[in-house]
Amino acid sequence: MKFKIDTKEKILIVHPEIPRLDVNLSVEFAKSITDLPELKDRNLILDMALVPEIDEAGLMAILTVYQQQYDSRQSCAITGLNNTLTGILRESYEDLNITPTLAEAIDIVMMESLERELMEGEEW
């Protein structure tokens, strides 16, 4: 699977370059991203702008990657979706970080990262 990857100190931005994220690619998509060594201890931004079509299996693959990030105590945001997919995801999954721009996605994952650091520093 072809990706453009931009690695920052606390963020990994993945830009999949596939014409369609469908049932045929969904498992490979999720595995390819979660197995990236650069992802270790970094927040993830999925920039889906270069993927014009996504079916139900593709959406589930995105959600799988998203949830795995949070299970490993990191943040995730999704950007670059077309209006239809944005509407479907927002309607079905209210708690997802979906942003219209990459800059907003970076802001969200950095704010969540800061919140985690502050919460870990508090003594109860």
Side-chain angles (χ1 to χ4, degrees):
M1 183 156 299
K2 189 172 177 185
F3 298 106
K4 284 185 183 177
I5 297 175
D6 186 10
T7 306
K8 309 270 188 216
E9 181 181 349
K10 293 185 176 188
I11 301 172
L12 184 69
I13 304 169
V14 177
H15 311 267
E17 295 179 316
I18 51 179
R20 180 173 167 81
L21 180 54
D22 59 15
V23 69
N24 296 325
L25 292 176
S26 60
V27 172
E28 182 185 353
F29 172 86
K31 182 163 177 38
S32 295
I33 292 176
T34 56
D35 287 350
L36 288 170
E38 301 95 324
L39 188 56
K40 183 173 173 28
D41 298 325
R42 286 193 175 90
N43 299 299
L44 175 66
I45 297 175
L46 291 174
D47 184 350
M48 304 302 291
L50 299 175
V51 184
E53 293 182 45
I54 302 172
D55 71 5
E56 185 66 30
L59 289 175
M60 294 311 294
I62 291 169
L63 295 173
T64 298
V65 170
Y66 189 97
Q67 188 58 50
Q68 285 179 347
Q69 274 301 103
Y70 281 93
D71 290 347
S72 59
R73 298 186 43 86
Q74 298 296 324
S75 296
C76 187
I78 305 164
T79 191
L81 293 171
N82 65 40
N83 291 338
T84 303
L85 292 171
T86 298
I88 290 169
L89 282 174
R90 282 201 171 136
E91 193 173 288
S92 302
Y93 307 95
E94 295 174 5
D95 296 335
L96 293 179
N97 294 327
I98 302 171
T99 65
T101 67
L102 182 57
E104 289 173 285
I106 292 169
D107 287 347
I108 284 176
V109 297
M110 292 307 294
M111 284 183 0
E112 285 185 355
S113 182
L114 180 60
E115 285 175 9
R116 272 192 306 279
E117 288 175 19
L118 291 172
M119 295 300 287
E120 289 173 1
E122 288 182 9
E123 293 184 26
W124 297 96

